[in-house]
Amino acid sequence: MTIEQCYAVIGGSYAEVSRRLPSRQLVEKFARKFPEDPSYAELIDAVVAGDRDTAFRAAHTLKGVAANLSFSRLCASARQLTELLRPTDTIPPEAASLLEAVTRDYEATVAAIRALD
């Protein structure tokens, strides 16, 4: 799979990230580093622990990394979870369904990145 195909599979915008990163090699380099980012694991751990502050920060960071790499679908689901967690002191019950969407999008993104040629 090429980097352009990867972006198509994950619902990202290769055209948008290409404006931000000046070469195909840089786009691919940073996309390949994405699975190493600890934000998703921190988010899961924080939700399991009931730690809203850490969950919010992790979701916000994941959203930012996804936005910078133009992983549009993952960015959108992480944004929804971030906004749900923002005004509360605890993790609301409806966070579970949003976390499922983030997990689905994250796993699809990582799988596509790992399938790069």
Side-chain angles (χ1 to χ4, degrees):
M1 175 181 324
T2 67
I3 190 69
E4 294 88 350
Q5 291 167 329
C6 176
Y7 269 80
V9 166
I10 65 172
S13 175
Y14 182 78
E16 184 180 306
V17 75
S18 293
R19 288 190 293 273
R20 197 172 297 114
L21 298 173
S23 72
R24 182 182 191 280
Q25 291 78 17
L26 277 177
V27 172
E28 190 167 334
K29 175 184 175 181
F30 287 107
R32 285 183 185 274
K33 287 183 177 242
F34 176 74
E36 299 169 20
D37 181 84
S39 302
Y40 176 74
E42 290 170 2
L43 172 61
I44 297 300
D45 291 346
V47 169
V48 168
D51 181 350
R52 199 274 326 163
D53 289 338
T54 301
F56 169 77
R57 280 193 304 276
H60 191 271
T61 300
L62 181 61
K63 174 191 70 142
V65 172
N68 285 331
L69 290 171
S70 298
F71 296 159
S72 308
R73 187 177 300 145
L74 176 58
C75 180
S77 59
R79 180 181 301 116
Q80 288 182 315
L81 182 57
T82 299
E83 293 309 314
L84 178 70
L85 294 171
R86 184 182 302 276
T88 65
D89 292 330
T90 60
I91 297 175
E94 55 271 25
S97 63
L98 293 178
L99 183 59
E100 286 176 19
V102 169
T103 296
R104 182 179 57 249
D105 296 339
Y106 176 84
E107 289 175 352
T109 299
V110 169
I113 290 168
R114 291 190 173 135
L116 285 170
D117 293 331

